Amino acid sequence: MPELSYPDYLPKSVRPYFEHCLNVLTPEQIRTAIEPFRSELDALRITAKPLPDAALHWQTWLQTRYPLVCTAPFAERHVRLWEWFEALTPGVKPRPRVEVWPRGGAKSMSAELGCVRACVKLSRRFVLYVSGTQEQAEKHLSAVATLMEKAGIERAVNIYGTSKGWRHSELRTANGFNVAAYGLARAR
């Protein structure tokens, strides 16, 4: 395995966990999780489009779309993570990001809003939301769905007007974005 370079912001006490975090899922587990989406992702490649809010700066977007959620000033860790979200570019593999935040530091909300932002910008067409258990992952996905609905993001629908993939374990939007819940407990 190549030697890891640790991000500067990562405390030395946490570095032993960094490699574990990057290797939680094997490539085979990831392929298995995304396989149900592959054909639709390929078909959407030509029709997927960012949403109108994509051009807004992330802070403006958060404060405009979610004023009741984003009530406190952004801490340095929030800015760091959101700058990483904003730097995501289609077709470019990003450097992995590991953040260690205290309890009550808005970890879940930041990850959930990050999924919504990826949908708006279409910086990614697919997000695999990984949690300790399938139940936890689906709970986070439910929160992502609520945030998407509050932002007016439309569900993907079939020719009969029935929602495609707006379930407890996956979300599919009209602009070509997909997010799936994946619990580590089932991955072992």
Side-chain angles (χ1 to χ4, degrees), residues 25-38 128 182:
L25 295 175
T26 66
E28 184 57 36
Q29 289 167 323
I30 293 171
R31 277 191 291 279
T32 301
I34 66 172
E35 191 56 41
F37 297 89
R38 185 160 313 281
L128 185 62
Y182 193 80

Side-chain angles (χ1 to χ4, degrees), residues 68-91:
L68 300 177
V69 173
C70 301
T71 57
F74 296 101
E76 182 182 320
R77 66 178 174 261
H78 299 114
V79 172
R80 203 173 44 231
L81 180 62
W82 278 93
E83 292 297 332
W84 183 85
F85 284 147
E86 286 298 287
L88 292 174
T89 306

